[in-house]
Amino acid sequence: MRKPYGKIMVSLAAKLIRIAWAVLTYGKKFDIHRAGVPRSVLAAMAVQPSNEAAAAA
């Protein structure tokens, strides 16, 4: 069963606000490895070629 679109958008916005608050509060750069992104997502992102690389080839 799928979640309602609005609920997904609110939870995503809340996550982004928490990230922005932490960056502004602690003054550190954003680190994706500490953001709770699953390794499978990071691995999928690394496998896909970027649009710039595909355009240059």
Side-chain angles (χ1 to χ4, degrees), residues 6-57:
K7 188 171 187 176
I8 294 170
M9 289 297 109
V10 169
S11 62
L12 180 59
K15 181 176 182 175
L16 292 175
I17 289 170
R18 285 192 304 270
I19 291 170
W21 174 83
V23 168
L24 292 173
T25 301
Y26 298 114
K28 295 183 180 180
K29 291 177 72 175
F30 176 71
D31 182 15
I32 195 158
H33 299 291
R34 298 185 69 201
V37 177
R39 290 184 182 178
S40 59
V41 173
L42 293 174
M45 288 170 50
V47 171
Q48 296 174 352
S50 67
N51 290 338
E52 294 174 8

